[in-house]
Amino acid sequence: MLLTLLQVKHLFADFFLQTPRMLADRAVYLHFGRAEHAFLHGVLSFVALVLVGAPLVFSVVIGLVEWVVHFHIDWIKGRYSEQALHTPADASYWRAFGADQLAHQLTYIVIIWCWGLYAF
């Protein structure tokens, strides 16, 4: 159940709820839009954890950690893509996109593993 919730939240946070500010200047480290985007991920992961019965403190900690991790994954991809001048017409753009998405999915595996350690 938790994996499904994390996948759905990822779909919405990464593809439906991003604003132009979140998508701009992805290579800039201290960027409010990316912080806002990553925070959205953290909040929605918090909600997913609460829905499966995780305690509030555990859920807050995981949400905050995901905020930081998601922020850095996106910054690495943005910096790499901007330095390489990737566009969606380039295969390298899609490889970077795929690596970014894999890193996020691996984050969810770690979240589920942590929940498993905590819950059982």
Side-chain angles (χ1 to χ4, degrees), residues 2 49 52-55 58 111-120:
L2 180 55
L49 284 160
V52 298
F58 177 85
I111 289 172
I112 292 165
W113 179 75
C114 290
W115 171 233
L117 287 177
Y118 187 87
F120 302 104

Side-chain angles (χ1 to χ4, degrees), residues 7 13 15 19 23 29 41 47 50 52-53 56 62 64 66 72 77-79 89 93 104-105 110 114:
Q7 293 294 316
F15 298 101
T19 64
L23 293 167
Y29 182 73
H41 274 277
V47 170
V50 168
V52 298
L56 289 179
I62 294 295
L64 291 172
E66 188 183 1
H72 285 92
K77 184 195 77 161
R79 185 168 177 234
Y93 171 91
H104 294 311
Q105 296 306 312
V110 171
C114 290

Side-chain angles (χ1 to χ4, degrees), residues 24-35:
D25 299 322
R26 300 292 259 181
V28 176
Y29 182 73
L30 294 176
H31 186 264
F32 182 77
R34 183 177 39 262

